Amino acid sequence: MQTQLPAQGRSWGELQAMMAEMRTGDLDWRHGRHAAYIWFANEEVERVAREAYGMFMVENGLGLRVFPSLRRMEEEVVQMTLGLLRGQGAAGHMTSGGTESIFLAVKAARDWARIRRPQVLTPEIIAPFSAHPALNKAAHYLGMVVIRVATGPDFRADVKAMAAAITPNTIMLYGSAPGYSLGVIDPITKLGELAQERELWLHVDACVGGILGPFVRQLGYSVLPFDFSLPGVSSISADLHKSGYTPKGASTLLFRSKELLEYGRYEFDDWPTGLYSTLTFTGTRPGGAIAAAWAVMNFLGEQGYLKIAETVMEARKRFEAGLLKIPGMHVWGKPDLWAVAFGSEGYDIHQLGKVMLSRGWVLSPVRRPPGLHLMITPVHEPVIDECLAALAASAAQVREKKVTGSGMAIRY
Ligand SMILES: *Cc1c(COP(=O)(O)O)cnc(C)c1O
């Protein structure tokens, strides 16, 4: 039977109980036994975010003219983000997430190139193999083509190979800071030089690293530049709902200049109401996502983000050190931030993932190279040792072939 609207509305008490029951089968993310999907700073930040979101839940970010509060908060969020990414003279706006930011960057690059090189009918984007699927999704919707080039032995973008892949139809280069799967940052400086030399648009996907990455650098870790201090960078996507630790539905798309930002705009005039003009893919935008992002960023401030950066980087170092003590295990590449992927010699890493799952640890698989992935956030810090112990026990189990079957329950 199909679910139908209840004839009589249910009470909030009843609904709350139903929803609490429904979520008992969900991922238990509060205790750090997961690898992805969740960015949670702490309960204080959660409270601020919830209150701020609720305060502006009904307001609509499409109507900035009538909600000067949202206009101001969005502008301030963008300015704070540009400050982190050294974007003097740069411009930007908020979007609903990384996928929308990337979509709009690709759209802007396409329209920018259309004016300069109208003879290009099917524009091409050159990206490393490690680029997020959102890039292909965008290109697919926009009638463009992505050429993925194998990464180097360090799993970073191979800039020489990318240069060799450029054709007369190429309009855009793409790099990540860091890539989702292995957590390594592409050589953006070199990609920027190539972009300038060949007059191409360079988009930096800093969906993961854009907000917290600069704080990791501030702590003294070597984090190579991936921001507007590099003259070849045209646009950057930096998610707030990832390492900005704000509620979901919040990302930023930043452009080197106001002029480049305008290529992202869509305008339409031929309907009863007249001019409809937006910089986003979405029309109606949740005021709550804007307000909560503003509130969380101001609540955490530099000191708050530095503390998170310190926690997750220490946790990653501890995790790596412990991992290397487990026979056969190794880290793939040299992760730059808090995302790490590891593989194994002599036994199947995905079998190990399966055993971990049976022990209540939900790790994400990486297919090429074969590995498991972990995005370390503050909730992981207290359980690093427990996780390592589970990994050691699971590895022993796999080595002794005490596992049957294959595959993993979770797919990204
Ligand atoms: C998550 C992610 C995206 C897509 O962002 P959504 O917010 O999921 O739409 C893009 N690039 C990278 C590197 C990501 O990790």
Side-chain angles (χ1 to χ4, degrees):
M1 258 302 270
Q2 206 175 313
T3 301
Q4 290 184 344
L5 268 177
Q8 297 250 325
R10 296 183 164 113
S11 72
W12 168 236
E14 189 187 345
L15 295 170
Q16 203 177 16
M18 286 169 73
M19 288 190 286
E21 163 64 24
M22 282 191 258
R23 72 163 19 168
T24 54
D26 287 358
L27 181 71
D28 170 22
W29 52 265
R30 277 184 198 269
H31 300 101
R33 289 171 165 260
H34 63 285
Y37 302 116
I38 296 292
W39 299 78
F40 183 76
N42 59 50
E43 272 155 30
E44 268 187 299
V45 173
E46 183 184 15
R47 195 172 328 120
V48 168
R50 195 185 298 282
E51 293 288 329
Y53 203 108
M55 226 175 128
F56 284 86
M57 192 182 64
V58 182
E59 278 78 357
N60 187 344
L62 178 62
L64 295 183
R65 257 183 315 129
V66 294
F67 300 117
S69 57
L70 291 178
R71 181 193 293 280
R72 176 172 162 191
M73 287 189 278
E74 178 172 9
E75 267 173 22
E76 291 188 8
V77 163
V78 167
Q79 280 165 22
M80 288 187 279
T81 308
L82 285 174
L84 298 176
L85 296 171
R86 299 185 274 208
Q88 273 198 351
H93 58 83
M94 286 179 68
T95 71
S96 61
T99 301
E100 187 186 357
S101 292
I102 291 163
F103 176 88
L104 292 166
V106 173
K107 182 263 189 227
R110 185 195 67 175
D111 290 2
W112 167 83
R114 222 173 232 177
I115 291 169
R116 302 157 67 93
R117 291 157 62 195
Q119 72 281 11
V120 176
L121 299 180
T122 307
E124 288 171 4
I125 305 158
I126 313 280
F129 173 66
S130 51
H132 191 277
L135 174 64
N136 283 70
K137 195 188 224 178
H140 176 76
Y141 287 168
L142 291 164
M144 295 166 68
V145 167
V146 179
I147 296 172
R148 285 184 181 242
V149 176
T151 47
D154 57 357
F155 301 104
R156 298 176 202 274
D158 180 341
V159 181
K160 275 197 186 133
M162 285 174 70
I166 293 172
T167 78
N169 289 330
T170 303
I171 64 145
M172 186 180 197
L173 299 177
Y174 193 92
S176 308
Y180 173 81
S181 314
L182 304 191
V184 298
I185 297 178
D186 288 325
I188 306 296
T189 303
K190 284 198 186 135
L191 281 174
E193 287 164 7
L194 179 62
Q196 281 193 298
E197 199 184 300
R198 308 295 291 267
E199 293 185 48
L200 302 171
W201 183 294
L202 171 60
H203 180 72
V204 177
D205 175 359
C207 285
V208 169
I211 308 297
L212 204 60
F215 292 101
V216 172
R217 187 185 295 127
Q218 211 174 307
L219 288 172
Y221 291 90
S222 156
V223 177
L224 293 178
F226 56 82
D227 55 30
F228 290 114
S229 64
L230 307 173
V233 172
S234 313
S235 56
I236 303 177
S237 47
D239 287 358
L240 304 165
H241 65 200
K242 284 187 174 165
S243 69
Y245 289 87
T246 80
K248 290 181 177 46
S251 169
T252 58
L253 175 58
L254 312 162
F255 296 89
R256 168 161 297 282
S257 65
K258 182 86 177 66
E259 185 207 332
L260 292 189
L261 169 133
E262 286 300 325
Y263 288 105
R265 189 181 292 282
Y266 177 76
E267 290 192 328
F268 186 78
D269 206 6
D270 190 19
W271 74 310
T273 294
L275 182 66
Y276 174 94
S277 172
T278 56
L279 286 169
T280 51
F281 182 85
T282 56
T284 293
R285 295 195 299 155
I290 296 171
W294 182 89
V296 167
M297 289 177 92
N298 278 290
F299 183 74
L300 282 168
E302 289 186 346
Q303 287 310 314
Y305 282 117
L306 272 172
K307 192 155 171 283
I308 295 175
E310 198 174 0
T311 302
V312 297
M313 291 305 286
E314 286 294 326
R316 197 207 83 207
K317 280 196 287 185
R318 209 147 55 79
F319 180 75
E320 279 192 12
L323 193 80
L324 297 180
K325 290 191 191 136
I326 302 173
M329 280 214 197
H330 61 84
V331 172
W332 285 119
K334 286 211 170 75
D336 293 295
L337 301 172
W338 48 83
V340 57
F342 52 98
S344 56
E345 291 274 320
Y347 52 97
D348 185 337
I349 195 73
H350 294 141
Q351 290 284 322
L352 184 137
K354 207 179 151 219
V355 178
M356 284 295 280
L357 191 63
S358 72
R359 291 170 182 264
W361 295 86
V362 189
L363 301 179
S364 312
V366 179
R367 302 285 167 198
R368 287 190 276 165
L372 293 170
H373 160 103
L374 183 58
M375 194 65 96
I376 295 176
T377 67
V379 292
H380 295 97
E381 192 272 333
V383 297
I384 290 290
D385 293 332
E386 219 186 307
C387 181
L388 287 166
L391 278 171
S394 304
Q397 217 176 314
V398 177
R399 280 199 310 271
E400 289 158 25
K401 303 215 177 347
K402 288 189 182 153
V403 197
T404 51
S406 67
M408 289 188 69
I410 295 277
R411 282 190 168 211
Y412 187 71

